[in-house]
Amino acid sequence: MKSRNLRLLKTYMLGLLTRLEQLLTAIAMMKELTPRSRDYLVSFGECMSTRIFTAYLNKIGIKARQYDAFDMGIITTDDFTNADILEATYPAVAKRLYEDWIKEPAIPIVTGFLGKGWKLGAITTLGRGGSDLTATTIGKALGLREIQVWKDVDGVLTCDPNIHPAAKPVPHLTFEEAAELAYFGAQVLHPQSMKPASESDIPVRVKNSYNPQAPGTIITKERDLSKAVLTSIVLKSNITMLDIVSTRMLGQHGFLAKVFSIFNDLRISVDSVATSEVSVSVTLDPKKLPCDDLIREESELDHLVEELEKIAVVNLLQKRSIISLIGNVERSSLILEKAFSVLRNNGVNVQMISQGASKVNISLVVDDSKAKQCVQALHSAFFENEESHFPSR
């Protein structure tokens, strides 16, 4: 039986490699790689690696069964390279896995970050964090007690260890905190990947593949924040800031609506916003501008400024960073008092401050050249000096 399974695996892998060669030849001849072709191209690695891993588990006596996500029931929109999972996925995945388990129990080994577009029936990918999204989708479909995602760090950390080696694991987070951390630059999780678990109130535990004994970080819908001050510090570098001031009189009706309609028309999203009656400051990530390549980033920014200057005076400030303080914003006055004291002592000028509607995030904009120094100083003040911690209420 084992030799027969290995022969079947070899035959299938050779078939996959043949199809891959044909696809690459077609791309080379056409000198064009469409989003649809790209999604099909990147699916080969998952399809091959999951089959090899499944064969290995079966060889050592652990019963396993391989699944291609796009054939297992993960149904998505047809937005190639960044598809969304549709509700029809959950009953379809549950039905397939439960039926197979009843027939013959085996550990499911599923391809990550892949799905099938519901209209075209083509292979799609789920964008950044797609493998974690696959895991939380399956967890929601099956109604599991806990979902685990395995990384190369001991959970979510108090800051990026590449910026400050004293970063330490955060034992407990809410989904809201995790989403803010991810959106503003933390690389461990992607906010979209947590959505199925959050909707189903299933805890997610982040573990370290290289240190399985570490408890990791548990993410739940709620946690006790009564003694919490700061959870983590996140840095998002190389962002652009725009100061937009109305050219009309005070109280101009509809100014903000006009500003944001321009962003909407150009399909540009902003990270942080600070507003008054006749002015608004926003930050945006140039890498997320809707352009075909990096060369066009500058022209896209120029176009944005040109449109905004029809209704306002615009000041474009590049090479800025957002430092996001994630924590208990009910104690925002204490957090800001300490943060501004630290930044003042380090000679850093804060150019914009924004508190998100989530109420777990305070964002500060500073020059790129000072940003890492700021994170190191803030981390030392909030997490390393015991005498500096605020007393609990």
Side-chain angles (χ1 to χ4, degrees):
M1 178 63 77
K2 287 184 179 180
S3 60
R4 178 176 177 273
N5 288 338
L6 288 175
R7 286 198 301 272
L8 290 173
L9 173 64
K10 182 179 179 181
T11 300
Y12 186 87
M13 297 290 277
L14 289 173
L16 272 179
L17 290 171
T18 299
R19 292 202 296 275
L20 176 59
E21 183 180 18
Q22 292 169 344
L23 175 62
L24 291 171
T25 300
I27 292 169
M29 291 180 63
M30 296 296 293
K31 293 182 173 59
E32 181 181 13
L33 179 61
T34 65
R36 178 172 178 166
S37 297
R38 183 187 180 280
D39 279 2
Y40 183 37
L41 176 63
V42 300
S43 73
F44 282 86
E46 284 288 299
C47 292
M48 288 189 282
S49 61
T50 50
R51 282 171 171 80
I52 292 169
F53 184 57
T54 301
Y56 172 74
L57 290 178
N58 284 313
K59 183 179 180 181
I60 63 175
I62 300 174
K63 188 64 177 176
R65 183 183 293 114
Q66 191 275 346
Y67 293 90
D68 290 325
F70 46 83
D71 286 335
M72 187 184 71
I74 294 187
I75 305 163
T76 73
T77 60
D78 293 284
D79 301 310
F80 296 105
T81 75
N82 194 29
D84 291 325
I85 288 178
L86 300 179
E87 281 297 316
T89 290
Y90 302 107
V93 168
K95 182 175 185 294
R96 176 70 182 275
L97 290 179
Y98 278 130
E99 287 181 352
D100 286 355
W101 183 270
I102 290 170
K103 291 177 186 176
E104 186 181 4
I107 297 172
I109 309 298
V110 185
T111 56
F113 70 80
L114 302 176
K116 178 183 284 188
W118 75 285
K119 285 184 179 179
L120 300 176
I123 294 173
T124 57
T125 60
L126 307 178
R128 185 178 151 236
S131 291
D132 292 343
L133 178 55
T134 303
T136 55
T137 297
I138 294 170
K140 177 181 176 179
L142 300 179
L144 302 182
R145 293 191 301 272
E146 179 178 289
I147 298 165
Q148 294 183 356
V149 292
W150 290 74
K151 304 292 181 177
D152 58 359
V153 290
D154 290 341
V156 179
L157 304 180
T158 49
C159 77
D160 185 342
N162 294 317
I163 296 175
H164 196 30
K168 58 187 75 173
V170 178
H172 199 174
L173 284 174
T174 64
F175 285 112
E176 197 172 37
E177 288 175 311
E180 291 289 321
L181 281 165
Y183 184 76
F184 281 95
Q187 298 297 311
V188 176
L189 297 170
H190 189 273
Q192 186 70 13
S193 68
M194 296 295 102
K195 186 178 177 183
S198 176
E199 292 172 341
S200 304
D201 199 13
I202 300 173
V204 174
R205 190 178 298 275
V206 184
K207 299 274 287 179
N208 188 350
S209 302
Y210 300 100
N211 185 19
Q213 291 75 31
T217 299
I218 186 75
I219 305 172
T220 57
K221 185 161 285 188
E222 296 179 350
R223 72 182 182 102
D224 181 12
L225 287 169
S226 61
K227 296 182 180 180
V229 179
L230 208 61
T231 301
S232 186
I233 304 168
V234 189
L235 176 63
K236 191 172 188 178
S237 300
N238 194 28
I239 60 102
T240 296
M241 176 176 166
L242 289 94
D243 289 328
I244 308 162
V245 182
S246 172
T247 54
R248 302 288 183 86
M249 66 181 69
L250 287 173
Q252 180 193 357
H253 177 71
F255 171 65
L256 292 180
K258 292 176 183 177
V259 167
F260 286 105
S261 70
I262 292 172
F263 282 95
N264 181 63
D265 292 343
L266 297 179
R267 299 185 297 116
I268 296 174
S269 60
V270 301
D271 290 328
S272 300
V273 182
T275 65
S276 70
E277 191 174 11
V278 293
S279 68
V280 58
S281 296
V282 303
T283 63
L284 54 91
D285 187 345
K287 296 189 293 296
K288 294 182 180 179
L289 290 176
C291 54
D292 297 330
D293 52 56
L294 295 176
I295 297 173
R296 288 184 55 200
E297 285 179 6
E298 291 297 328
S299 61
E300 291 293 325
L301 281 173
D302 290 342
H303 186 202
L304 172 62
V305 171
E306 180 182 334
E307 291 299 308
L308 289 170
E309 284 181 338
K310 294 176 181 178
I311 60 168
V313 175
V314 182
N315 187 19
L316 179 69
L317 303 168
Q318 295 179 294
K319 295 184 178 179
R320 299 298 190 267
S321 289
I322 301 175
I323 298 174
S324 295
L325 308 175
I326 312 296
N328 183 2
V329 184
E330 287 186 3
R331 307 182 76 181
S332 59
S333 295
L334 293 172
I335 293 173
L336 286 170
E337 178 187 355
K338 191 177 193 70
F340 277 109
S341 174
V342 169
L343 297 179
R344 182 179 65 250
N345 291 338
N346 282 268
V348 176
N349 181 43
V350 176
Q351 299 166 26
M352 174 180 155
I353 178 170
S354 175
Q355 181 173 326
S358 68
K359 305 304 180 188
V360 299
N361 174 25
I362 299 172
S363 293
L364 310 172
V365 176
V366 301
D367 284 334
D368 266 345
S369 60
K370 298 277 190 177
K372 290 185 179 180
Q373 171 192 337
C374 292
V375 172
Q376 293 165 356
L378 289 166
H379 191 279
S380 296
F382 279 100
F383 296 107
E384 297 165 49
N385 300 329
E386 292 298 326
E387 66 275 9
S388 70
H389 291 322
F390 299 127
S392 59
R393 292 177 296 183

